[in-house]
Amino acid sequence: TREEFMESHFVSSEVLKSYQELLPLPPRSMDSQAAQLPTKIKLLYFDLPGKADAMRLALNHASIEFEDVRLTREEFMEKKTSGELAFGQVPALVVEVGGKTTTLVQSAAIARYIGQLGSCGLYPNDFVKAAQVDALVDQATDMMCPVLCAKYQDRFGYDQALGGMEGEGTKLVESALQTTIMPRHFAFFENVLAASSTGWVADTSEPSTADFVLGPQFKQLASNEMIKGAELITKYPKIVAFVKKFYALPSVKAWNDKTESA
């Protein structure tokens, strides 16, 4: 063992302890991983696609049972006021593990958590590939930031500076979004997809967490009037093909067919 090796080379216990802290821990056993699997999952969001669509689709794709809770505005405000939501926002994922209930928040963190639960490879075991998936999810968040700031001006403190949704400042921001900001972000992902041999954003053999984040996001942006999304997306054929490929997944199609008929 590494301990025996260090001791045989007359290394002090203090140095040995420091050395152990620097080395990665051994892989967790299957038993320890199973102990961390939730026995109950509830996804909290409004009755619309929004940020939760990626999570609903990923959970369904991974064959993970969950309760799809669609909150009314009143129910959301009650949970927000009570402090149940750490940052006063949804989506939130309520998980029960070992008899303990925890509410997880922040979309990217929830997406990564879901990706590590299933056995369908949404989140890679390879550290480098996992970091690439993380980077794409984070870039997806960056892409949405300017749109959200322009749309929810009072939340981000821009309402006075921009003059509200009909203000002159907002018009300037919308022009920048349409001509510079969003084309730049779309071009990033167009290049990523051009370099992929599989059609998935992280060049994985099967869809990853990043695909489940970006598929719904691009679909929603394509119908966003503020950025003239319907016109914008047609300029990026790789993205168009990616969205089509994503929504052709049997699990995604089955979920959408079920929810649309409900």
PDB file of all heavy atoms in Angstrom, residues 209-243:
ATOM      1  N   THR A 209     -25.600  15.451 -20.073  1.00  0.00           N
ATOM      2  CA  THR A 209     -26.310  16.505 -19.344  1.00  0.00           C
ATOM      3  C   THR A 209     -26.332  17.801 -20.134  1.00  0.00           C
ATOM      4  O   THR A 209     -27.343  18.514 -20.166  1.00  0.00           O
ATOM      5  CB  THR A 209     -25.630  16.732 -17.979  1.00  0.00           C
ATOM      6  OG1 THR A 209     -25.746  15.534 -17.192  1.00  0.00           O
ATOM      7  CG2 THR A 209     -26.270  17.881 -17.225  1.00  0.00           C
ATOM      8  N   ALA A 210     -25.228  18.123 -20.801  1.00  0.00           N
ATOM      9  CA  ALA A 210     -25.154  19.370 -21.571  1.00  0.00           C
ATOM     10  C   ALA A 210     -26.177  19.391 -22.704  1.00  0.00           C
ATOM     11  O   ALA A 210     -26.760  20.446 -23.000  1.00  0.00           O
ATOM     12  CB  ALA A 210     -23.743  19.555 -22.124  1.00  0.00           C
ATOM     13  N   ASP A 211     -26.418  18.258 -23.333  1.00  0.00           N
ATOM     14  CA  ASP A 211     -27.414  18.191 -24.402  1.00  0.00           C
ATOM     15  C   ASP A 211     -28.813  18.435 -23.858  1.00  0.00           C
ATOM     16  O   ASP A 211     -29.641  19.094 -24.500  1.00  0.00           O
ATOM     17  CB  ASP A 211     -27.356  16.828 -25.094  1.00  0.00           C
ATOM     18  CG  ASP A 211     -26.022  16.596 -25.790  1.00  0.00           C
ATOM     19  OD1 ASP A 211     -25.709  17.336 -26.743  1.00  0.00           O
ATOM     20  OD2 ASP A 211     -25.284  15.681 -25.364  1.00  0.00           O
ATOM     21  N   PHE A 212     -29.073  17.909 -22.662  1.00  0.00           N
ATOM     22  CA  PHE A 212     -30.401  18.091 -22.071  1.00  0.00           C
ATOM     23  C   PHE A 212     -30.609  19.517 -21.589  1.00  0.00           C
ATOM     24  O   PHE A 212     -31.750  19.963 -21.465  1.00  0.00           O
ATOM     25  CB  PHE A 212     -30.621  17.079 -20.942  1.00  0.00           C
ATOM     26  CG  PHE A 212     -31.104  15.752 -21.449  1.00  0.00           C
ATOM     27  CD1 PHE A 212     -30.205  14.808 -21.906  1.00  0.00           C
ATOM     28  CD2 PHE A 212     -32.458  15.468 -21.520  1.00  0.00           C
ATOM     29  CE1 PHE A 212     -30.645  13.589 -22.420  1.00  0.00           C
ATOM     30  CE2 PHE A 212     -32.917  14.263 -22.024  1.00  0.00           C
ATOM     31  CZ  PHE A 212     -32.004  13.315 -22.481  1.00  0.00           C
ATOM     32  N   VAL A 213     -29.553  20.223 -21.314  1.00  0.00           N
ATOM     33  CA  VAL A 213     -29.668  21.646 -20.977  1.00  0.00           C
ATOM     34  C   VAL A 213     -29.852  22.478 -22.248  1.00  0.00           C
ATOM     35  O   VAL A 213     -30.729  23.349 -22.326  1.00  0.00           O
ATOM     36  CB  VAL A 213     -28.425  22.117 -20.199  1.00  0.00           C
ATOM     37  CG1 VAL A 213     -28.406  23.641 -20.068  1.00  0.00           C
ATOM     38  CG2 VAL A 213     -28.401  21.472 -18.810  1.00  0.00           C
ATOM     39  N   LEU A 214     -29.037  22.211 -23.248  1.00  0.00           N
ATOM     40  CA  LEU A 214     -29.003  23.063 -24.441  1.00  0.00           C
ATOM     41  C   LEU A 214     -30.137  22.784 -25.425  1.00  0.00           C
ATOM     42  O   LEU A 214     -30.597  23.710 -26.112  1.00  0.00           O
ATOM     43  CB  LEU A 214     -27.657  22.915 -25.140  1.00  0.00           C
ATOM     44  CG  LEU A 214     -26.526  23.679 -24.451  1.00  0.00           C
ATOM     45  CD1 LEU A 214     -25.166  23.133 -24.854  1.00  0.00           C
ATOM     46  CD2 LEU A 214     -26.616  25.166 -24.781  1.00  0.00           C
ATOM     47  N   GLY A 215     -30.607  21.547 -25.508  1.00  0.00           N
ATOM     48  CA  GLY A 215     -31.705  21.244 -26.421  1.00  0.00           C
ATOM     49  C   GLY A 215     -32.927  22.113 -26.145  1.00  0.00           C
ATOM     50  O   GLY A 215     -33.383  22.865 -27.024  1.00  0.00           O
ATOM     51  N   PRO A 216     -33.486  22.040 -24.937  1.00  0.00           N
ATOM     52  CA  PRO A 216     -34.634  22.890 -24.607  1.00  0.00           C
ATOM     53  C   PRO A 216     -34.303  24.387 -24.652  1.00  0.00           C
ATOM     54  O   PRO A 216     -35.152  25.200 -25.034  1.00  0.00           O
ATOM     55  CB  PRO A 216     -34.991  22.453 -23.180  1.00  0.00           C
ATOM     56  CG  PRO A 216     -34.476  21.060 -23.069  1.00  0.00           C
ATOM     57  CD  PRO A 216     -33.212  21.054 -23.868  1.00  0.00           C
ATOM     58  N   GLN A 217     -33.079  24.741 -24.290  1.00  0.00           N
ATOM     59  CA  GLN A 217     -32.721  26.163 -24.272  1.00  0.00           C
ATOM     60  C   GLN A 217     -32.742  26.757 -25.681  1.00  0.00           C
ATOM     61  O   GLN A 217     -33.280  27.845 -25.891  1.00  0.00           O
ATOM     62  CB  GLN A 217     -31.340  26.352 -23.642  1.00  0.00           C
ATOM     63  CG  GLN A 217     -30.958  27.810 -23.419  1.00  0.00           C
ATOM     64  CD  GLN A 217     -29.814  27.956 -22.445  1.00  0.00           C
ATOM     65  OE1 GLN A 217     -29.880  27.475 -21.317  1.00  0.00           O
ATOM     66  NE2 GLN A 217     -28.747  28.593 -22.862  1.00  0.00           N
ATOM     67  N   PHE A 218     -32.173  26.053 -26.639  1.00  0.00           N
ATOM     68  CA  PHE A 218     -32.189  26.552 -28.009  1.00  0.00           C
ATOM     69  C   PHE A 218     -33.610  26.583 -28.572  1.00  0.00           C
ATOM     70  O   PHE A 218     -33.968  27.494 -29.329  1.00  0.00           O
ATOM     71  CB  PHE A 218     -31.278  25.717 -28.903  1.00  0.00           C
ATOM     72  CG  PHE A 218     -29.840  26.129 -28.844  1.00  0.00           C
ATOM     73  CD1 PHE A 218     -28.849  25.228 -28.473  1.00  0.00           C
ATOM     74  CD2 PHE A 218     -29.452  27.426 -29.164  1.00  0.00           C
ATOM     75  CE1 PHE A 218     -27.522  25.614 -28.422  1.00  0.00           C
ATOM     76  CE2 PHE A 218     -28.122  27.816 -29.115  1.00  0.00           C
ATOM     77  CZ  PHE A 218     -27.152  26.906 -28.739  1.00  0.00           C
ATOM     78  N   LYS A 219     -34.422  25.599 -28.221  1.00  0.00           N
ATOM     79  CA  LYS A 219     -35.809  25.590 -28.690  1.00  0.00           C
ATOM     80  C   LYS A 219     -36.547  26.818 -28.169  1.00  0.00           C
ATOM     81  O   LYS A 219     -37.299  27.474 -28.913  1.00  0.00           O
ATOM     82  CB  LYS A 219     -36.515  24.314 -28.235  1.00  0.00           C
ATOM     83  CG  LYS A 219     -37.951  24.222 -28.726  1.00  0.00           C
ATOM     84  CD  LYS A 219     -38.644  22.968 -28.231  1.00  0.00           C
ATOM     85  CE  LYS A 219     -40.092  22.902 -28.731  1.00  0.00           C
ATOM     86  NZ  LYS A 219     -40.794  21.698 -28.215  1.00  0.00           N
ATOM     87  N   GLN A 220     -36.338  27.140 -26.900  1.00  0.00           N
ATOM     88  CA  GLN A 220     -37.007  28.309 -26.318  1.00  0.00           C
ATOM     89  C   GLN A 220     -36.464  29.609 -26.895  1.00  0.00           C
ATOM     90  O   GLN A 220     -37.227  30.548 -27.162  1.00  0.00           O
ATOM     91  CB  GLN A 220     -36.855  28.271 -24.800  1.00  0.00           C
ATOM     92  CG  GLN A 220     -37.626  27.128 -24.142  1.00  0.00           C
ATOM     93  CD  GLN A 220     -37.274  26.909 -22.687  1.00  0.00           C
ATOM     94  OE1 GLN A 220     -36.875  27.837 -21.985  1.00  0.00           O
ATOM     95  NE2 GLN A 220     -37.400  25.680 -22.215  1.00  0.00           N
ATOM     96  N   LEU A 221     -35.163  29.677 -27.128  1.00  0.00           N
ATOM     97  CA  LEU A 221     -34.586  30.882 -27.717  1.00  0.00           C
ATOM     98  C   LEU A 221     -35.074  31.095 -29.146  1.00  0.00           C
ATOM     99  O   LEU A 221     -35.210  32.237 -29.605  1.00  0.00           O
ATOM    100  CB  LEU A 221     -33.060  30.800 -27.693  1.00  0.00           C
ATOM    101  CG  LEU A 221     -32.398  31.022 -26.335  1.00  0.00           C
ATOM    102  CD1 LEU A 221     -30.905  30.700 -26.415  1.00  0.00           C
ATOM    103  CD2 LEU A 221     -32.603  32.458 -25.847  1.00  0.00           C
ATOM    104  N   ALA A 222     -35.364  30.010 -29.845  1.00  0.00           N
ATOM    105  CA  ALA A 222     -35.844  30.124 -31.226  1.00  0.00           C
ATOM    106  C   ALA A 222     -37.193  30.822 -31.311  1.00  0.00           C
ATOM    107  O   ALA A 222     -37.549  31.366 -32.363  1.00  0.00           O
ATOM    108  CB  ALA A 222     -35.934  28.743 -31.863  1.00  0.00           C
ATOM    109  N   SER A 223     -37.939  30.821 -30.217  1.00  0.00           N
ATOM    110  CA  SER A 223     -39.239  31.499 -30.203  1.00  0.00           C
ATOM    111  C   SER A 223     -39.206  32.800 -29.393  1.00  0.00           C
ATOM    112  O   SER A 223     -40.253  33.388 -29.116  1.00  0.00           O
ATOM    113  CB  SER A 223     -40.317  30.564 -29.637  1.00  0.00           C
ATOM    114  OG  SER A 223     -40.016  30.202 -28.294  1.00  0.00           O
ATOM    115  N   ASN A 224     -37.997  33.244 -29.021  1.00  0.00           N
ATOM    116  CA  ASN A 224     -37.859  34.452 -28.216  1.00  0.00           C
ATOM    117  C   ASN A 224     -37.891  35.685 -29.129  1.00  0.00           C
ATOM    118  O   ASN A 224     -37.002  35.890 -29.959  1.00  0.00           O
ATOM    119  CB  ASN A 224     -36.542  34.400 -27.431  1.00  0.00           C
ATOM    120  CG  ASN A 224     -36.404  35.534 -26.447  1.00  0.00           C
ATOM    121  OD1 ASN A 224     -36.369  36.697 -26.822  1.00  0.00           O
ATOM    122  ND2 ASN A 224     -36.303  35.196 -25.178  1.00  0.00           N
ATOM    123  N   GLU A 225     -38.910  36.508 -28.964  1.00  0.00           N
ATOM    124  CA  GLU A 225     -39.070  37.671 -29.831  1.00  0.00           C
ATOM    125  C   GLU A 225     -38.044  38.758 -29.534  1.00  0.00           C
ATOM    126  O   GLU A 225     -37.665  39.513 -30.434  1.00  0.00           O
ATOM    127  CB  GLU A 225     -40.485  38.225 -29.693  1.00  0.00           C
ATOM    128  CG  GLU A 225     -41.564  37.272 -30.202  1.00  0.00           C
ATOM    129  CD  GLU A 225     -42.950  37.876 -30.122  1.00  0.00           C
ATOM    130  OE1 GLU A 225     -43.071  39.052 -29.713  1.00  0.00           O
ATOM    131  OE2 GLU A 225     -43.925  37.166 -30.456  1.00  0.00           O
ATOM    132  N   MET A 226     -37.585  38.852 -28.302  1.00  0.00           N
ATOM    133  CA  MET A 226     -36.633  39.895 -27.939  1.00  0.00           C
ATOM    134  C   MET A 226     -35.343  39.783 -28.745  1.00  0.00           C
ATOM    135  O   MET A 226     -34.738  40.798 -29.124  1.00  0.00           O
ATOM    136  CB  MET A 226     -36.320  39.826 -26.438  1.00  0.00           C
ATOM    137  CG  MET A 226     -35.306  40.854 -25.967  1.00  0.00           C
ATOM    138  SD  MET A 226     -34.938  40.726 -24.202  1.00  0.00           S
ATOM    139  CE  MET A 226     -36.448  41.397 -23.487  1.00  0.00           C
ATOM    140  N   ILE A 227     -34.919  38.552 -29.021  1.00  0.00           N
ATOM    141  CA  ILE A 227     -33.675  38.361 -29.777  1.00  0.00           C
ATOM    142  C   ILE A 227     -33.946  38.017 -31.245  1.00  0.00           C
ATOM    143  O   ILE A 227     -33.023  37.719 -31.986  1.00  0.00           O
ATOM    144  CB  ILE A 227     -32.802  37.258 -29.141  1.00  0.00           C
ATOM    145  CG1 ILE A 227     -33.477  35.890 -29.280  1.00  0.00           C
ATOM    146  CG2 ILE A 227     -32.501  37.576 -27.678  1.00  0.00           C
ATOM    147  CD1 ILE A 227     -32.564  34.732 -28.933  1.00  0.00           C
ATOM    148  N   LYS A 228     -35.236  38.027 -31.635  1.00  0.00           N
ATOM    149  CA  LYS A 228     -35.639  37.599 -32.982  1.00  0.00           C
ATOM    150  C   LYS A 228     -35.104  36.194 -33.261  1.00  0.00           C
ATOM    151  O   LYS A 228     -34.454  35.907 -34.267  1.00  0.00           O
ATOM    152  CB  LYS A 228     -35.159  38.585 -34.044  1.00  0.00           C
ATOM    153  CG  LYS A 228     -35.820  39.960 -33.944  1.00  0.00           C
ATOM    154  CD  LYS A 228     -35.432  40.870 -35.100  1.00  0.00           C
ATOM    155  CE  LYS A 228     -36.168  42.210 -35.006  1.00  0.00           C
ATOM    156  NZ  LYS A 228     -35.787  43.143 -36.108  1.00  0.00           N
ATOM    157  N   GLY A 229     -35.417  35.308 -32.284  1.00  0.00           N
ATOM    158  CA  GLY A 229     -34.860  33.967 -32.301  1.00  0.00           C
ATOM    159  C   GLY A 229     -35.219  33.136 -33.509  1.00  0.00           C
ATOM    160  O   GLY A 229     -34.398  32.349 -33.997  1.00  0.00           O
ATOM    161  N   ALA A 230     -36.442  33.273 -34.012  1.00  0.00           N
ATOM    162  CA  ALA A 230     -36.864  32.473 -35.164  1.00  0.00           C
ATOM    163  C   ALA A 230     -35.995  32.766 -36.378  1.00  0.00           C
ATOM    164  O   ALA A 230     -35.667  31.861 -37.157  1.00  0.00           O
ATOM    165  CB  ALA A 230     -38.332  32.757 -35.487  1.00  0.00           C
ATOM    166  N   GLU A 231     -35.619  34.008 -36.531  1.00  0.00           N
ATOM    167  CA  GLU A 231     -34.743  34.392 -37.644  1.00  0.00           C
ATOM    168  C   GLU A 231     -33.292  34.032 -37.361  1.00  0.00           C
ATOM    169  O   GLU A 231     -32.573  33.555 -38.241  1.00  0.00           O
ATOM    170  CB  GLU A 231     -34.875  35.901 -37.876  1.00  0.00           C
ATOM    171  CG  GLU A 231     -33.957  36.453 -38.947  1.00  0.00           C
ATOM    172  CD  GLU A 231     -34.038  37.963 -39.070  1.00  0.00           C
ATOM    173  OE1 GLU A 231     -35.022  38.564 -38.583  1.00  0.00           O
ATOM    174  OE2 GLU A 231     -33.089  38.555 -39.639  1.00  0.00           O
ATOM    175  N   LEU A 232     -32.880  34.227 -36.114  1.00  0.00           N
ATOM    176  CA  LEU A 232     -31.487  34.016 -35.737  1.00  0.00           C
ATOM    177  C   LEU A 232     -31.055  32.562 -35.908  1.00  0.00           C
ATOM    178  O   LEU A 232     -29.995  32.275 -36.480  1.00  0.00           O
ATOM    179  CB  LEU A 232     -31.269  34.460 -34.285  1.00  0.00           C
ATOM    180  CG  LEU A 232     -29.875  34.223 -33.693  1.00  0.00           C
ATOM    181  CD1 LEU A 232     -28.832  35.061 -34.421  1.00  0.00           C
ATOM    182  CD2 LEU A 232     -29.874  34.546 -32.188  1.00  0.00           C
ATOM    183  N   ILE A 233     -31.874  31.634 -35.418  1.00  0.00           N
ATOM    184  CA  ILE A 233     -31.435  30.233 -35.372  1.00  0.00           C
ATOM    185  C   ILE A 233     -31.248  29.645 -36.765  1.00  0.00           C
ATOM    186  O   ILE A 233     -30.436  28.720 -36.963  1.00  0.00           O
ATOM    187  CB  ILE A 233     -32.430  29.381 -34.542  1.00  0.00           C
ATOM    188  CG1 ILE A 233     -31.754  28.059 -34.121  1.00  0.00           C
ATOM    189  CG2 ILE A 233     -33.725  29.147 -35.290  1.00  0.00           C
ATOM    190  CD1 ILE A 233     -32.516  27.288 -33.072  1.00  0.00           C
ATOM    191  N   THR A 234     -31.953  30.169 -37.760  1.00  0.00           N
ATOM    192  CA  THR A 234     -31.817  29.634 -39.120  1.00  0.00           C
ATOM    193  C   THR A 234     -30.424  29.864 -39.712  1.00  0.00           C
ATOM    194  O   THR A 234     -30.042  29.191 -40.672  1.00  0.00           O
ATOM    195  CB  THR A 234     -32.854  30.270 -40.064  1.00  0.00           C
ATOM    196  OG1 THR A 234     -32.645  31.685 -40.111  1.00  0.00           O
ATOM    197  CG2 THR A 234     -34.271  29.987 -39.588  1.00  0.00           C
ATOM    198  N   LYS A 235     -29.660  30.771 -39.106  1.00  0.00           N
ATOM    199  CA  LYS A 235     -28.316  31.065 -39.592  1.00  0.00           C
ATOM    200  C   LYS A 235     -27.280  30.066 -39.067  1.00  0.00           C
ATOM    201  O   LYS A 235     -26.110  30.144 -39.440  1.00  0.00           O
ATOM    202  CB  LYS A 235     -27.918  32.483 -39.178  1.00  0.00           C
ATOM    203  CG  LYS A 235     -28.842  33.566 -39.740  1.00  0.00           C
ATOM    204  CD  LYS A 235     -28.483  34.933 -39.202  1.00  0.00           C
ATOM    205  CE  LYS A 235     -29.443  36.006 -39.721  1.00  0.00           C
ATOM    206  NZ  LYS A 235     -29.145  37.351 -39.167  1.00  0.00           N
ATOM    207  N   TYR A 236     -27.740  29.141 -38.211  1.00  0.00           N
ATOM    208  CA  TYR A 236     -26.821  28.190 -37.582  1.00  0.00           C
ATOM    209  C   TYR A 236     -27.333  26.765 -37.808  1.00  0.00           C
ATOM    210  O   TYR A 236     -28.002  26.175 -36.947  1.00  0.00           O
ATOM    211  CB  TYR A 236     -26.685  28.519 -36.093  1.00  0.00           C
ATOM    212  CG  TYR A 236     -26.185  29.928 -35.877  1.00  0.00           C
ATOM    213  CD1 TYR A 236     -27.085  30.986 -35.713  1.00  0.00           C
ATOM    214  CD2 TYR A 236     -24.826  30.216 -35.911  1.00  0.00           C
ATOM    215  CE1 TYR A 236     -26.633  32.291 -35.561  1.00  0.00           C
ATOM    216  CE2 TYR A 236     -24.365  31.509 -35.759  1.00  0.00           C
ATOM    217  CZ  TYR A 236     -25.274  32.545 -35.589  1.00  0.00           C
ATOM    218  OH  TYR A 236     -24.827  33.835 -35.446  1.00  0.00           O
ATOM    219  N   PRO A 237     -27.027  26.191 -38.972  1.00  0.00           N
ATOM    220  CA  PRO A 237     -27.583  24.885 -39.339  1.00  0.00           C
ATOM    221  C   PRO A 237     -27.193  23.744 -38.403  1.00  0.00           C
ATOM    222  O   PRO A 237     -27.965  22.800 -38.228  1.00  0.00           O
ATOM    223  CB  PRO A 237     -27.034  24.653 -40.746  1.00  0.00           C
ATOM    224  CG  PRO A 237     -25.850  25.568 -40.874  1.00  0.00           C
ATOM    225  CD  PRO A 237     -26.177  26.761 -40.037  1.00  0.00           C
ATOM    226  N   LYS A 238     -26.001  23.819 -37.812  1.00  0.00           N
ATOM    227  CA  LYS A 238     -25.597  22.760 -36.876  1.00  0.00           C
ATOM    228  C   LYS A 238     -26.483  22.780 -35.632  1.00  0.00           C
ATOM    229  O   LYS A 238     -26.835  21.723 -35.086  1.00  0.00           O
ATOM    230  CB  LYS A 238     -24.130  22.938 -36.466  1.00  0.00           C
ATOM    231  CG  LYS A 238     -23.130  22.825 -37.603  1.00  0.00           C
ATOM    232  CD  LYS A 238     -23.066  21.420 -38.162  1.00  0.00           C
ATOM    233  CE  LYS A 238     -21.966  21.313 -39.220  1.00  0.00           C
ATOM    234  NZ  LYS A 238     -21.940  19.970 -39.832  1.00  0.00           N
ATOM    235  N   ILE A 239     -26.836  23.964 -35.168  1.00  0.00           N
ATOM    236  CA  ILE A 239     -27.720  24.076 -34.009  1.00  0.00           C
ATOM    237  C   ILE A 239     -29.117  23.581 -34.362  1.00  0.00           C
ATOM    238  O   ILE A 239     -29.755  22.863 -33.576  1.00  0.00           O
ATOM    239  CB  ILE A 239     -27.764  25.533 -33.489  1.00  0.00           C
ATOM    240  CG1 ILE A 239     -26.403  25.926 -32.924  1.00  0.00           C
ATOM    241  CG2 ILE A 239     -28.852  25.691 -32.429  1.00  0.00           C
ATOM    242  CD1 ILE A 239     -26.311  27.369 -32.467  1.00  0.00           C
ATOM    243  N   VAL A 240     -29.599  23.941 -35.542  1.00  0.00           N
ATOM    244  CA  VAL A 240     -30.912  23.481 -35.988  1.00  0.00           C
ATOM    245  C   VAL A 240     -30.947  21.953 -36.029  1.00  0.00           C
ATOM    246  O   VAL A 240     -31.902  21.321 -35.546  1.00  0.00           O
ATOM    247  CB  VAL A 240     -31.257  24.064 -37.374  1.00  0.00           C
ATOM    248  CG1 VAL A 240     -32.534  23.423 -37.921  1.00  0.00           C
ATOM    249  CG2 VAL A 240     -31.419  25.578 -37.294  1.00  0.00           C
ATOM    250  N   ALA A 241     -29.901  21.354 -36.575  1.00  0.00           N
ATOM    251  CA  ALA A 241     -29.825  19.891 -36.661  1.00  0.00           C
ATOM    252  C   ALA A 241     -29.737  19.264 -35.273  1.00  0.00           C
ATOM    253  O   ALA A 241     -30.330  18.203 -35.020  1.00  0.00           O
ATOM    254  CB  ALA A 241     -28.622  19.480 -37.505  1.00  0.00           C
ATOM    255  N   PHE A 242     -29.006  19.920 -34.372  1.00  0.00           N
ATOM    256  CA  PHE A 242     -28.872  19.415 -33.001  1.00  0.00           C
ATOM    257  C   PHE A 242     -30.218  19.403 -32.292  1.00  0.00           C
ATOM    258  O   PHE A 242     -30.587  18.414 -31.637  1.00  0.00           O
ATOM    259  CB  PHE A 242     -27.872  20.269 -32.223  1.00  0.00           C
ATOM    260  CG  PHE A 242     -27.974  20.132 -30.733  1.00  0.00           C
ATOM    261  CD1 PHE A 242     -27.588  18.957 -30.108  1.00  0.00           C
ATOM    262  CD2 PHE A 242     -28.476  21.167 -29.960  1.00  0.00           C
ATOM    263  CE1 PHE A 242     -27.690  18.819 -28.722  1.00  0.00           C
ATOM    264  CE2 PHE A 242     -28.591  21.037 -28.585  1.00  0.00           C
ATOM    265  CZ  PHE A 242     -28.201  19.866 -27.959  1.00  0.00           C
ATOM    266  N   VAL A 243     -30.978  20.481 -32.405  1.00  0.00           N
ATOM    267  CA  VAL A 243     -32.288  20.552 -31.750  1.00  0.00           C
ATOM    268  C   VAL A 243     -33.209  19.467 -32.300  1.00  0.00           C
ATOM    269  O   VAL A 243     -33.924  18.789 -31.545  1.00  0.00           O
ATOM    270  CB  VAL A 243     -32.916  21.954 -31.932  1.00  0.00           C
ATOM    271  CG1 VAL A 243     -34.348  21.980 -31.388  1.00  0.00           C
ATOM    272  CG2 VAL A 243     -32.074  23.013 -31.230  1.00  0.00           C
TER     273      VAL A 243
END
